[in-house]
Amino acid sequence: MRKNHTWTVFKKEVIDIARDKKTLFSNILLPIILMPVLMIVLGSGTRKFTQEMTENITVAFTSESASVEAQEFFKNKIAVHNDNIILKDPVDSSEAAIKNGDVKLVVELDKDFQAKMDRGEPFSIKIFFDNSKSSSGGSVDVLERAIEKFNISTTNERLEALGLDTALLTAAVNEKVNVSEGNPGNMMLSMMLPMLIAMLVAVGGIPAATDLVAGEKERMTLEPLLTTRASRLSILLGKYCTINIFTFVSVLSTLAGFIISYIISPESITMGMGNVGGIQLQPVALLLSLAITILMGMTFSGIQLAISTYARSFKEGQTYLSMLIFVVMIPSYATMMMQASDIKTHMFLVPVLNTISSLKMILGGVIDYSRLYLALLSSVVYVGITLYLSVLMFKKESVLFRS
């Protein structure tokens, strides 16, 4: 193997890919444009969905129970506990009013509710809602919490009137003490970003890998390349480096789109669920996580090169390589809800999981350098294994020239 031969093959492959305008657009330019649009639309939709359930809770009485006394009671005793609860005019049909979107909820009080309340007896507040509509079904909880606050305040007033201490109703007072060193403000980011990066790293080099060996077989340009002075190992490493470069350029372009969407709308990357909390990254931990992510990309580049070498044609290689997304999707979705403190030590030894775990760790602010070094060491081993597999495939003529 000679370095100048490897460099020559590498330059040749990079130039070939750069000439393919379609590939450059779909894998580099499109993510930069598409990611901000996607994140902003999703964030806006989620924010609107949340607002529909928690804001402007329009409530109306049924015409049968809509006495002046009942409406005054609702305004002064129930709605007072939440400014988002708005009382509307009475309706004749509860079902029609909710389904037509005139109001989100309809309530009905006992006709003798005032007499029962004066006697200290419970009375009924019936709530009509439509669980098939998120704006109605989600609003029930808001109204129920307001009713619960009314119950508590009324109970306290009755106890005081009897000369009893309201503390009698409280058997225990809970106190919450957060012992975590992590940053809960980054919870949404630590759920999304590691999964996104892992998927991009795993599939970013597929277009290049498919074309570099399986594509050359189909175009019958691989044989002439193998007859040059460059050794097979030099050719292999040149193609391997090209796949790595293409992988990380693709990842960087998508992350650039991610950053652009954050600049345009900070709430977009949290899907409208508040702003991202302050991130305090430790430089050494960040470098280790970056190295682990790069090694994961190198691991998948080796796998992609081996599969492309095994494939008979471009189409066959594309079919095989498209399956790699499932290798990443399963662990990514399985750990999506995990936070930094939930991650176990053995996860830093498992391919893909070690990268996701490392990224979650630094985003969550819970740094354990022993685990990061464990993930780094295991990643180096996996790179060696996959590269060795690629070399074996490239040396076997029964594989390289099968048709």
Side-chain angles (χ1 to χ4, degrees), residues 104-124:
K104 294 180 180 179
L105 304 171
V106 175
V107 295
E108 183 179 272
L109 265 69
D110 291 342
K111 291 183 178 179
D112 58 344
F113 81 94
Q114 188 64 56
K116 287 182 177 179
M117 190 166 64
D118 292 340
R119 294 195 300 268
E121 297 176 6
F123 59 92
S124 171

Side-chain angles (χ1 to χ4, degrees), residues 90-101:
V91 296
D92 295 325
S93 171
S94 304
E95 184 178 348
I98 295 172
K99 288 190 178 297
N100 294 336

Side-chain angles (χ1 to χ4, degrees), residues 295 299 349 351 354 373-389:
L295 288 170
T299 299
L349 292 170
N354 55 10
Y373 283 116
L374 196 63
L376 184 69
L377 181 61
S378 62
S379 297
V380 171
V381 172
Y382 296 132
V383 170
I385 292 171
T386 55
L387 191 54
Y388 178 70
L389 178 64

